[in-house]
Amino acid sequence: EALIESFGQNSLAVLPFVNMSDDAENEYFSDGVAEEVLNLLAKIPDLRVISRSSSFSYRGKDIDIPSIAEQLNVALVLEGSVRRYGNQVRITAQLIEAHSDMHLWSETYERELEDVFAIQDEISAAIVESLRNTINLDVDEAPRTTATANKDAHDAYLRGQYLLAQREVEGAVREFEKAISLDPDYALPHAQLAIALQLGYLGITLSEQVARATPHAEKAMALDPSMAEAHAAAGVFSWNRDEDQEALRHFENAIRINPNYADVYTWMAQILDWSMGRYSAAFAMREKAVQLDPLSMPALVNYVVALTARGRLAEADRELEKLDTLAPGYSVQLRAERSLPIGNWADGVLGLLDAMRTSPESFGSDSLAYYFALMGLETEALAVEENAGPELLSLLGRSQQAVAAAQANLREDPLDQWNHAAAGLALAGAGDYEGARPYLE
């Protein structure tokens, strides 16, 4: 509970810095400068800083500062621009009081490219000084950048971060690996590589994810145990190894270092909810994640599901209105799934079919197949879920096929706890309770 607190008007959004360079591909660099300033400010305990995925969504949109601030529920906005030419960089930044649209501070920095870390620290320090004077922010000094002496390694890291934000994970992994090859002792790319490998976007088994991430999670912690990203990487690593208490310990450390780390609140909520049954604490974490990242699709989806489970349907509907624009396929699917738990299966299935038509690329067919099976529509269930898993096969009464499928999944990925659960349930469904028990335990 100590991790969840209100920030009132001490709230800030950092917009993506405009790329003023001649080369449009330098956008990753301008984004990187803005994100690193954001990450510095996010470490200040009494300041709520909106996450990148929400604040950077305004890139290129013709929306005024007061409107952005209202949508993100912040009092202050930082905007800027970056021009990179040869070995020089020119960075302009300005802090704006959103309600009045008044500039509180602005500065331009023109330096050698090697000095970019110093510029980021100067911007952070200047903003902290401005905040001391305007909102009486109680902070001794501004946090400082985690730097590397190798400019090319930092460049590769920024490209990796840029690609990771677009969920182009394979490209991000390559860039993080390049940064590490250029500077093996640069902690940030080790941490972010460990996280990227475990996000589930690479089409590899959980066992392989953990095996590839292990040396980088360990290296990041060894290099800089005071870095929030290192603890986040170690937390995801422990979580995937089913070491929930250890994962929570690392996540709590990450939050203490960076109280605005929205993804970590979401990950903590998953453990507290799914593994520990601490539903109230999990819900508080989901609320916090949405406060810090109000336009994040994953944070909103999890929050809507949690609100619906509590019967807070009017609030869920308000959040669904945001998803109507951000992710219409998910929005339609969540509206449909509201009907299913109370037995309105036909209405729910019609809604899920509509979601599949609306957004086929993001639609998960397993839920639709499950409810077809519950309604006794075996042909339809197998039509939408061609590679039927053990759960669906059990529900359709194909017990031996379910056992075979579950055991095959377990052989392929023995580290995944869900494969153990599926094997136990399949065996129980086939009447082999003695065989099921060890898997379920």
Side-chain angles (χ1 to χ4, degrees):
E1 291 178 0
L3 297 174
I4 308 292
E5 53 187 285
S6 171
F7 290 87
Q9 290 302 300
N10 295 10
S11 51
L12 173 106
V14 179
L15 299 183
F17 284 13
V18 177
N19 175 30
M20 302 293 288
S21 307
D22 294 335
D23 187 352
E25 291 188 2
N26 270 325
E27 187 170 83
Y28 79 89
F29 185 79
S30 56
D31 269 17
V33 172
E35 183 180 9
E36 294 197 335
V37 171
L38 184 160
N39 288 339
L40 289 174
L41 296 171
K43 295 175 183 176
I44 298 173
D46 294 327
L47 185 66
R48 176 167 63 90
V49 181
I50 298 298
S51 291
R52 171 191 172 131
S53 58
S54 288
S55 59
F56 279 33
S57 69
Y58 292 93
R59 183 201 314 282
K61 295 181 179 178
D62 187 19
I63 304 176
D64 58 49
I65 293 295
S67 297
I68 291 174
E70 182 180 2
Q71 291 172 21
L72 296 178
N73 190 29
V74 294
L76 304 163
V77 173
L78 178 72
E79 64 176 4
S81 64
V82 177
R83 183 167 184 261
R84 182 177 175 177
Y85 51 101
N87 199 38
Q88 299 288 117
V89 62
R90 186 174 192 266
I91 299 175
T92 299
Q94 47 199 13
L95 183 67
I96 302 165
E97 198 280 316
H99 179 70
S100 63
D101 206 10
M102 181 178 72
H103 285 64
L104 300 176
W105 165 85
S106 64
E107 189 62 76
T108 297
Y109 304 85
E110 192 152 3
R111 306 281 175 77
E112 296 287 323
L113 195 57
E114 285 79 2
D115 294 335
V116 68
F117 295 116
I119 298 173
Q120 290 164 182
D121 288 343
E122 285 183 51
I123 293 172
S124 174
I127 293 170
V128 166
E129 187 60 34
S130 178
L131 294 179
R132 280 200 192 101
N133 298 330
T134 55
I135 62 174
N136 298 318
L137 185 70
D138 184 18
V139 58
D140 293 333
E141 60 180 357
R144 300 185 68 80
T145 303
T146 301
T148 173
N150 190 308
K151 177 174 67 69
D152 292 333
H154 180 60
D155 223 38
Y157 168 73
L158 291 183
R159 283 195 298 272
Q161 284 293 89
Y162 182 82
L163 291 168
L164 189 60
Q166 323 301 320
R167 285 300 183 255
E168 295 178 21
V169 180
E170 288 188 9
V173 165
R174 286 194 297 272
E175 292 297 338
F176 292 143
E177 288 174 338
K178 180 179 179 181
I180 290 166
S181 70
L182 292 166
D183 184 354
D185 292 333
Y186 188 13
L188 270 170
H190 280 289
Q192 295 292 33
L193 176 57
I195 291 171
L197 287 168
Q198 298 179 92
L199 287 177
Y201 289 93
L202 295 174
I204 58 178
T205 66
L206 182 60
S207 299
E208 188 177 350
Q209 291 175 41
V210 170
R212 289 179 61 182
T214 297
H216 302 292
E218 292 175 348
K219 183 75 169 178
M221 280 296 295
L223 287 168
D224 192 353
S226 69
M227 188 173 67
E229 292 86 351
H231 284 281
V236 175
F237 174 71
S238 297
W239 181 18
N240 281 333
R241 288 171 55 87
D242 234 7
E243 299 166 353
D244 293 334
Q245 292 292 352
E246 183 71 2
L248 282 180
R249 185 179 69 81
H250 281 297
F251 287 152
E252 287 166 358
N253 285 334
I255 292 299
R256 288 190 183 95
I257 297 165
N258 178 354
N260 292 282
Y261 206 148
D263 285 343
V264 172
Y265 288 103
T266 295
W267 297 335
M268 290 179 75
Q270 305 290 62
I271 295 176
L272 292 168
D273 199 342
W274 296 351
S275 300
M276 298 183 172
R278 293 170 57 188
Y279 304 120
S280 295
F283 185 76
M285 293 289 173
R286 297 200 194 287
E287 281 189 308
K288 185 67 176 178
V290 170
Q291 289 173 12
L292 293 172
D293 209 352
L295 302 182
S296 161
M297 187 272 290
L300 278 171
V301 166
N302 283 308
Y303 188 45
V304 167
V305 170
L307 286 169
T308 303
R310 282 160 178 72
R312 294 164 58 172
L313 302 183
E315 294 169 78
D317 285 341
R318 284 197 294 272
E319 300 302 325
L320 280 168
E321 288 176 8
K322 300 176 188 176
L323 280 173
D324 288 341
T325 302
L326 289 171
Y330 281 104
S331 177
V332 174
Q333 185 167 344
L334 287 169
R335 290 182 197 279
E337 289 177 349
R338 274 182 49 180
S339 303
L340 296 166
I342 55 174
N344 295 339
W345 294 346
D347 288 343
V349 165
L350 286 171
L352 291 173
L353 285 167
D354 192 29
M356 185 167 65
R357 285 190 292 268
T358 303
S359 186
E361 71 284 349
S362 63
F363 181 76
S365 59
D366 53 344
S367 181
L368 178 57
Y370 177 82
Y371 283 98
F372 270 140
L374 280 179
M375 296 168 71
L377 300 172
E378 178 173 329
T379 302
E380 288 80 357
L382 294 174
V384 297
E385 190 75 4
E386 293 180 9
N387 298 315
E391 297 92 339
L392 182 59
L393 290 167
S394 287
L395 195 60
L396 293 172
R398 301 185 176 196
S399 301
Q400 294 309 316
Q401 287 178 260
V403 170
Q407 290 177 338
N409 289 346
L410 194 55
R411 285 193 298 272
E412 182 182 1
D413 195 359
L415 193 61
D416 192 332
Q417 62 172 316
W418 301 110
N419 287 343
H420 288 266
L425 291 171
L427 286 163
D432 184 0
Y433 305 121
E434 199 66 31
R437 189 182 186 95
Y439 289 108
L440 298 177
E441 287 178 339

